[in-house]
Amino acid sequence: MSFQTSSFTSADSSFSTLPIISASLKTIDSPPEYNGLSSSHLSNPNSPATSRYQDGATVSRVSHLDDPRFPSHTMFPSTAVFNTTVRSSSEPSFGLDVMWPNWPPNLPEPELLRHLVEVFFVFHPHANRLFHGASFMSTLSLPPNHPKFPSPPVLHAICAIGSLYTAVVTSPPLPDFRESPPDEIFLQRQRIKEQRIDSFAEQQAKHARETADHLNSLGEDLFQVFQANIILSWFYWSHSRWVDVFLFSAHSMRLSVPLGLNMCPPFHSISNSERPASILPPARNVIEDEMRRNAFWLAYATERQHGCGNGWALSLDDQDVSQLLPVRGDQFEHGILVTPQDRQWAHTRDLLLVHPEKQTDSFILSSEDV
């Protein structure tokens, strides 16, 4: 890291010899291509649990990550003070902090963004299933135009729900049931009467919706759009915005079908179509493959749990789900390949009664119960 000096002059003031930090970041190597769970594992129970990568190497129930453990980032104390103003990337930021010139608009500054992401991974029970924590945190250090940098809808959604776990940003107030009945689902009516400005969390949720809609129309980063919709469902659930929960959980389930997340080889649709079963490219490694599966089950659980309270028709029939259950959390973090012979399917007989000893944890059981 090197220091340079430059001068800045404006109509109001003059800044001379202003120190500017220039830093170079090492690009993270791309993982080798992963071909997914082979159907040969289904036909031959004695075949080893191996997967072939682009470079010809094979893995056998071992991690292909050097250090899959969650990095020990320094947490900000509760008394820390942040500038929560969302600054456009065109506005200058003076000081010694590193600011990318192409930082996405409407995102908080990098320091606050990292804080919100950290508290999300520390406190939300499903954060480390929807994402691979160590991999996600490392991508935050990349430049915003890097292909591995998280998509804006995901970051906006994490900022919105991260506000639940920190006092440095503002959140929506709790609903006042003296003004509206507890079973009121259209809380926006009361919101209009209050005439208050949006909190930081509400602003970020709106930005997440806008950027997700934009990427949806372009067909870009669709899996990250899927993840953002799940997080927004959690955010709206925490604030009793039941209409938004219904719409976003339903959208997640419908989006899972063209993404091919509701099925796993060798199962496929019986219809003849020129379109592939999934418009997503193949998963590059075990972690990405299992992360897609985890995301489907989280979206499935959110919609099923919400549907229990209203009796409305669901967005995806159980007969259209031919997916494996998730793997254990430690296997997901370490990128360990688990073959179909060692795990259960959504349609496995006696699924609710039989639990394999080596494939049982709280997340797997919760996926079975819904």
Side-chain angles (χ1 to χ4, degrees), residues 103-117:
W103 188 253
N106 301 319
L107 273 181
E109 294 181 350
E111 184 183 23
L112 176 58
L113 174 63
R114 180 172 288 273
H115 171 61
L116 292 170
V117 172

Side-chain angles (χ1 to χ4, degrees), residues 128-187:
N128 286 286
R129 291 289 191 160
L130 186 59
F131 301 96
H132 187 258
S135 302
F136 189 90
M137 294 302 300
S138 65
T139 59
L140 288 180
S141 300
L142 298 172
N145 59 349
H146 194 281
K148 291 184 179 297
F149 188 78
S151 187
V154 168
L155 294 177
H156 285 303
I158 290 179
C159 288
I161 199 169
S163 64
L164 297 172
Y165 312 111
T166 180
V168 300
V169 294
T170 57
S171 296
L174 296 175
D176 187 358
F177 294 123
R178 295 173 299 180
E179 301 292 336
S180 58
D183 58 347
E184 175 62 59
I185 62 175
F186 299 102
L187 292 179

Side-chain angles (χ1 to χ4, degrees), residues 33-312:
E33 184 178 359
Y34 170 67
N35 295 326
L37 291 173
S38 172
S39 59
S40 62
H41 294 139
L42 299 175
S43 59
N44 184 8
N46 298 322
S47 61
T50 60
S51 176
R52 186 164 297 278
Y53 292 80
Q54 189 176 20
D55 58 1
T58 58
V59 294
S60 177
R61 297 183 181 274
V62 295
S63 172
H64 57 270
L65 299 179
D66 293 333
D67 186 8
R69 294 171 297 178
F70 190 82
S72 55
H73 297 285
T74 302
M75 295 298 298
F76 295 98
S78 58
T79 57
V81 178
F82 293 90
N83 180 10
T84 59
T85 303
V86 178
R87 180 183 297 146
S88 172
S89 59
S90 61
E91 297 180 15
S93 176
F94 304 117
L96 298 179
D97 54 329
V98 177
M99 191 71 176
W100 295 105
N102 55 348
W103 188 253
N106 301 319
L107 273 181
E109 294 181 350
E111 184 183 23
L112 176 58
L113 174 63
R114 180 172 288 273
H115 171 61
L116 292 170
V117 172
E118 285 177 339
V119 296
F120 169 67
F121 277 106
V122 170
F123 294 108
H124 198 279
H126 298 311
N128 286 286
R129 291 289 191 160
L130 186 59
F131 301 96
H132 187 258
S135 302
F136 189 90
M137 294 302 300
S138 65
T139 59
L140 288 180
S141 300
L142 298 172
N145 59 349
H146 194 281
K148 291 184 179 297
F149 188 78
S151 187
V154 168
L155 294 177
H156 285 303
I158 290 179
C159 288
I161 199 169
S163 64
L164 297 172
Y165 312 111
T166 180
V168 300
V169 294
T170 57
S171 296
L174 296 175
D176 187 358
F177 294 123
R178 295 173 299 180
E179 301 292 336
S180 58
D183 58 347
E184 175 62 59
I185 62 175
F186 299 102
L187 292 179
Q188 190 66 15
R189 298 172 180 174
Q190 182 63 27
R191 169 73 175 79
I192 295 176
K193 294 180 182 179
E194 295 174 356
Q195 295 184 347
R196 61 174 177 83
I197 61 175
D198 287 337
S199 64
F200 171 85
E202 290 170 310
Q203 292 176 4
Q204 292 299 307
K206 288 183 177 179
H207 293 319
R209 297 175 68 160
E210 293 170 357
T211 52
D213 289 341
H214 177 67
L215 292 177
N216 254 334
S217 62
L218 298 177
E220 298 177 356
D221 295 340
L222 291 180
F223 179 66
Q224 295 193 64
V225 170
F226 182 73
Q227 292 173 306
N229 286 339
I230 296 173
I231 300 174
L232 286 175
S233 299
W234 296 341
F235 172 76
Y236 294 136
W237 193 306
S238 65
H239 294 287
S240 303
R241 295 174 56 172
W242 303 119
V243 172
D244 293 317
V245 174
F246 176 77
L247 294 176
F248 273 82
S249 60
H251 183 267
S252 297
M253 293 308 297
R254 296 309 303 164
L255 182 58
S256 70
V257 176
L259 299 185
L261 302 178
N262 62 313
M263 294 187 297
C264 178
F267 295 96
H268 56 82
S269 175
I270 61 175
S271 62
N272 294 324
S273 174
E274 295 181 357
R275 295 187 181 275
S278 173
I279 59 178
L280 289 177
R284 294 168 295 179
N285 51 52
V286 177
I287 291 178
E288 185 174 339
D289 193 24
E290 295 300 336
M291 182 167 57
R292 294 179 180 183
R293 187 169 292 109
N294 290 347
F296 169 78
W297 285 114
L298 288 170
Y300 179 91
T302 300
E303 196 210 26
R304 262 39 180 188
Q305 291 175 4
H306 179 255
C308 292
N310 51 47
W312 298 337

